[in-house]
């Protein structure tokens, strides 16, 4: 459970850092790419095995980090576009509701067993995430705009399911740091290609604030994945329970920190979501 708690803490810190980006006017895209570089370096620092190209390319999971790295950047940009078109609350709900995908895959692919109370807890978790994320004055969306949150939902679910698959089938304990590192490394590479294409039209300017912001984001970002994989390997709970507890606890603690650190105000629906989150955690973890 300690790994799950550390994953939740790391992921919650990510949201705090994102909030600080807005406070200090840090350019999110450039900070995100810097963060991926930092996260990649942290992983290689923790890995005590050989890191040569031939050593890593011969791993049975080598293609995984490449595809996941690309997905990380693509889904991030889709999240940003969704927030611009349909509103921040819609983007948040689409991302967090994706926990349903790895939960279902854990049951279907790996034969994981869930008790009736755990199933109820997972369903309550979906409702809790929705209630905790919505705003009273949310932006109305048309049917055409639904494609963006749908893609975010599916993409986020595919990322979590892929991490679950590689942990279940391919990774050893020793390989977790370098696997996580390579995911972030290929995400950074994809980001550099993207901004390189933009630089053809608009010259890039190095901004120290963006670099500092990226460093502050990179460390918790790396450990959010590292500790999540460790938690999945612990065998204390099923992967369905792990993903549910992870996502719901992140929403709950992010909400609490938003109130304490940034004086955010919650609607009665948001408070209802927090209460349901606590109840779902109890049902999934204890039953």
């Amino acid at each position: 459970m300690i790994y799950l708690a550390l994953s939740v803490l790391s992921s919650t810190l990510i949201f705090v850092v994102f909030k600080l980006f807005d406070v200090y006017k840090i350019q999110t895209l450039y900070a995100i790419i810097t963060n991926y570089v930092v996260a990649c370096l942290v992983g290689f620092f923790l890995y005590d095995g050989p890191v040569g190209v031939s050593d890593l390319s011969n791993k049975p999971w080598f293609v995984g980090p490449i595809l996941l790295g690309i997905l990380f950047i693509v889904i991030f940009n889709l999240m940003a576009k969704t927030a611009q078109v349909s509103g921040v609350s819609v983007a948040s709900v689409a991302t967090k509701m994706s926990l349903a995908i790895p939960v279902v895959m854990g049951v279907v692919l790996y034969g994981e067993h869930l008790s009736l109370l755990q199933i109820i807890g997972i369903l309550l978790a979906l409702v809790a995430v929705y209630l905790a994320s919505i705003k009273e004055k949310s932006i109305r969306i048309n049917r055409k705009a639904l494609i963006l949150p749908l893609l975010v939902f599916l993409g986020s679910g595919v990322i979590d399911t892929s991490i679950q698959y590689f942990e279940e089938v391919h990774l050893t304990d020793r390989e977790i740091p370098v696997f996580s590192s390579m995911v972030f490394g290929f995400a950074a590479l994809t980001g550099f290609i993207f901004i390189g294409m933009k630089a053809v039209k608009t010259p890039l300017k190095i901004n120290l604030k963006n670099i500092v912001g990226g460093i502050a984001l990179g460390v918790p970002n790396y450990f959010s994945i590292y500790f999540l994989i460790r938690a999945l390997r612990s065998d204390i709970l099923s992967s369905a329970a792990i993903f549910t507890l992870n996502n719901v606890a992140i929403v709950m603690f992010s909400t609490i920190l938003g109130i304490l650190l940034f004086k955010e105000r919650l609607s009665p629906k948001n408070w209802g979501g927090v209460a349901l989150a606590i109840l779902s955690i109890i049902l999934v973890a204890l039953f």
Side-chain angles (χ1 to χ4, degrees), residues 85-102:
V85 173
S86 304
V88 173
S89 62
V90 176
S92 176
V93 170
T95 303
K96 295 304 178 186
M97 293 281 278
S98 68
L99 71 88
I101 296 177

Side-chain angles (χ1 to χ4, degrees), residues 91-267:
S92 176
V93 170
T95 303
K96 295 304 178 186
M97 293 281 278
S98 68
L99 71 88
I101 296 177
V103 166
V104 172
M105 289 298 101
V107 174
V108 173
L109 297 180
Y110 309 115
E112 295 182 346
H113 174 73
L114 296 174
S115 68
L116 177 60
L117 288 177
Q118 285 181 314
I119 293 173
I120 293 173
I122 290 169
L123 294 176
L124 287 178
L126 295 174
V127 179
V129 169
Y130 173 75
L131 291 177
S133 303
I134 60 174
K135 305 299 180 185
E136 289 296 329
K137 297 180 179 179
S138 58
I139 298 175
R140 297 180 64 183
I141 58 177
N142 55 46
R143 292 183 179 180
K144 291 183 179 180
L146 285 174
I147 188 65
L148 285 172
L150 178 61
L151 289 174
V152 170
F153 171 81
L154 293 175
S156 300
V158 168
I159 287 174
D160 285 344
T161 303
S162 300
I163 291 173
Q164 179 185 8
Y165 166 76
F166 285 107
E167 178 278 324
E168 186 82 23
V169 178
H170 292 298
L171 292 177
T172 64
D173 283 343
R174 189 185 184 193
E175 292 171 335
I176 292 175
V178 72
F179 177 85
S180 305
S181 179
M182 288 176 64
V183 170
F184 290 118
F186 283 110
L189 179 60
T190 306
F192 281 127
I193 294 173
F194 177 74
I195 63 174
M197 294 170 62
K198 288 184 63 177
V200 174
K201 295 182 178 180
T202 306
L204 300 177
K205 294 182 180 179
I206 298 177
N207 187 315
L208 183 60
K209 285 200 305 183
N210 296 338
I211 295 175
V212 172
I215 294 173
L217 182 63
V219 175
N221 199 6
Y222 171 82
F223 283 109
S224 67
I225 300 297
Y226 174 82
F227 287 129
L228 177 59
I229 295 176
R230 287 288 188 186
L232 287 168
R233 296 187 72 84
S234 65
D235 294 329
I236 296 177
L237 295 169
S238 67
S239 66
I242 295 281
F243 279 113
T244 301
L245 293 174
N246 188 65
N247 279 31
V248 175
I250 290 169
V251 171
M252 187 175 68
F253 286 119
S254 298
T255 300
I256 293 172
L257 284 180
I259 296 171
L260 296 177
L261 299 180
F262 305 109
K263 310 301 180 184
E264 294 182 352
R265 301 177 65 181
L266 300 184
S267 68

Side-chain angles (χ1 to χ4, degrees), residues 56-82:
L56 297 177
S57 61
N58 290 327
K59 298 291 185 182
W61 44 258
F62 178 73
V63 176
I66 299 176
L67 299 177
L68 281 171
I70 296 171
L71 266 178
F72 269 47
I73 284 288
V74 171
I75 296 305
F76 166 75
N77 282 284
L78 284 175
M79 287 170 59
K81 186 67 174 178
T82 301

